[in-house]
Amino acid sequence: MSGPLMGNRRMGNGLMGAGGARRCRAARALGEGRMHVVATAGHVDHGKSTLVRALTGMEPDRLEEERRRGLTIELGYAWTALPSGERVAFVDVPGHERFLGTMLAGVGPVPAVMFVVAADEGWMPQSEEHLVALRTLGVRHGLLAVTRADLADPAPALRDARDRLAEAGLGAVEALAVSGRTGEGLDGLRAALDRLVAALPAPDPDAPVRLWVDRAFSVRGSGTVVTGTLPAGRVQTGDELELDGEPVRVRALESLKEHVDSVTGVARVALNLRGRIAPERGHALVTPGAWTTTDLADVRVTLAEGARGPLPARLTAHIGSASVPCEVRPLGAEAARLRLARPLPLHLGDALLLRDPGRGQGEPRVLARATVLDVRPPELRRRGAARERAKALAEASADAASLLRTHLLLRDGELAAMGCPPEGRPVAAGWHADPDHWSGLSARLPEAVRRYAADHPLEPGMPVEAARHELGLPDRRLVTALVRPPLTAADGRIIMSGRAVAGTAGLPAPVARAVRALLDDLAEAPFQAPEAGRLAALGLGPRELAAAVRAGALLRVAEGVVLAPGADTRAAALLARLPQPFTVSQARSALGTSRRVAVPLLEHLDRTGLTERMDEVHRRCRPPRG
Ligand SMILES: Nc1nc2c(ncn2[C@@H]2O[C@H](COP(=O)(O)OP(=O)(O)OP(=O)(O)O)[C@@H](O)[C@H]2O)c(=O)[nH]1
Ligand SMILES: [Mg+2]
């Protein structure tokens, strides 16, 4: 077994891509079925490694020290084909109490477990501790092997252990008596493993990648290599991934010592990486942008079997192959804020196992499950903020709706990076909103526009940017999405259309006074639009006139030509009394005005449909519509 990357590192020549033919033969011998990964668990010396060795013919204890001491110290890897052709790779964990951290790193990313109990010793402290850990991590698939059945009657240990596993949420697991030494029961165990893997849910090949590194080393000529259990998703040669925020490229890829171009979870993989990185166990390779890398998370705390609260303020958090010291700040009875000593890529719903590394023998060390509820929790500076947050977390679940209650507005990409596919349609350009917050904003906008119009009477409406600022929104497109009648948006501004009262009321006092003076002039001679001089004398420049027109205080028929509101319908009524069709000249004298006003006024009447042109010279009035 001289595979370069996956197996025994000391024995490998480490040339990815070299020796392919030999490996391909090995791969064919192993079968082409789907791959599954199963971790071992159980008390020290109960026969886990012996059983893995007997099942696979491979040596899980790679270190010289392990063989000398007859003890597993590091994670071991071995694999075989099952009778069905499906392939199973074992992650063999140490049972010694001192290596609980390593055991958790092995089990962390693995969906199923082979729980090993020695027939001659029965249930022991690390049997219990491993079971509590599995339960805390949410491992729900497994089988029970009561081994060393050549040394004692396996029946009592089998009965006892089966009941304990069932109670711990692993359900009615298959339980078998075997011997790693004599080989008794191994065929039955292989068949049971086949049934176990057949029942495992198929992971999503399109899921974002998060590969927790369990080993990292460099291979001469190839560079950095990491191995791990890929729980879901797909990794391919050439992929661009991220490790600790640094981009890395997958140069080559192996699975069970076989060179492959692409692999989907669940799988044991070895990746040859290019990038400025120094990977270690506990780092994760992730799909860029698909995870939120954070050192702060709000979590729901579920105490482990046998543990009592309150939790100590300093613990170690385990997820995947990572173990990270953390500070625990309780928020209410069931929630807490974790401050991690280094950032981890997390999703909502992830389970962290909280362990007290300081506890002595006999005391529970696996203390709690921390289910991630928020990966970007809000600051708690204000008085009472912690209490409010505790209340919110008590009602929260690990979904988009709960997140939006806290964050109010989130983009598609942010939700995805938090592990929450958005529910429902976006309110605008990829933005999702908390429904209550959105209807609150929707009620505030007309008020803001009204206030703005009162404060800026000469402006044609509230600039969208001002509204964005006023409502505290991160994107102008959110403002536009909030515009609905009677609001309208045009030219980057929001206008309150159909104002209730047309007139000078909303205009600044000097403008209102000037407009009233104009209207007095027009009352005498309704179609003699004021000359430029008169407008200038009254202080009515283009801005003031535009404001008066918007307010409905004046009617604008052309640039610089304004009349009293309603002058157009009055004109149409007068023109209707003329013999039809009529000329501009006839209209001009009927209205008592000049060509300067008559021409644009008639064009305005054409546009509004009160008159229509017959030819170059003639028009006629159109009967009122409807
Ligand atoms: N007679 C007998 N001895 C066994 C059997 N399985 C394991 N042993 C012996 O039990 C001892 C421990 O076996 P391991 O397989 O190293 O136990 P382990 O569970 O891997 O131990 P750790 O990894 O250190 O937790 C060794 O001396 C084995 O030879 C078995 O089925 N029958
Ligand atoms: Mg072992």
Side-chain angles (χ1 to χ4, degrees), residues 40 45 47-50 53 60-61 70-74 92-95:
T40 60
D45 260 358
K48 299 180 288 297
S49 302
T50 305
R53 198 179 300 121
D61 285 334
L71 184 79
T72 301
I73 298 168
E74 261 306 332
D92 184 36
V93 307

Side-chain angles (χ1 to χ4, degrees), residues 182-263:
T182 66
E184 177 200 333
L186 286 190
D187 285 346
L189 181 55
R190 288 196 183 90
L193 281 164
D194 242 336
R195 288 188 291 275
L196 171 66
V197 299
L200 293 177
D204 180 2
D206 298 321
V209 167
R210 180 174 57 178
L211 176 71
W212 295 102
V213 172
D214 50 32
R215 280 188 302 157
F217 46 91
S218 52
V219 174
R220 197 179 306 158
S222 293
T224 307
V225 174
V226 300
T227 69
T229 301
L230 179 68
R234 182 191 310 274
V235 180
Q236 304 185 75
T237 314
D239 272 359
E240 180 86 58
L241 298 171
E242 253 175 38
L243 186 131
D244 251 357
E246 284 292 324
V248 293
R249 190 172 289 281
V250 178
R251 288 170 63 173
L253 157 72
E254 281 187 3
S255 188
L256 308 188
K257 286 190 188 170
E258 181 189 351
H259 179 86
V260 289
D261 288 323
S262 165
V263 64

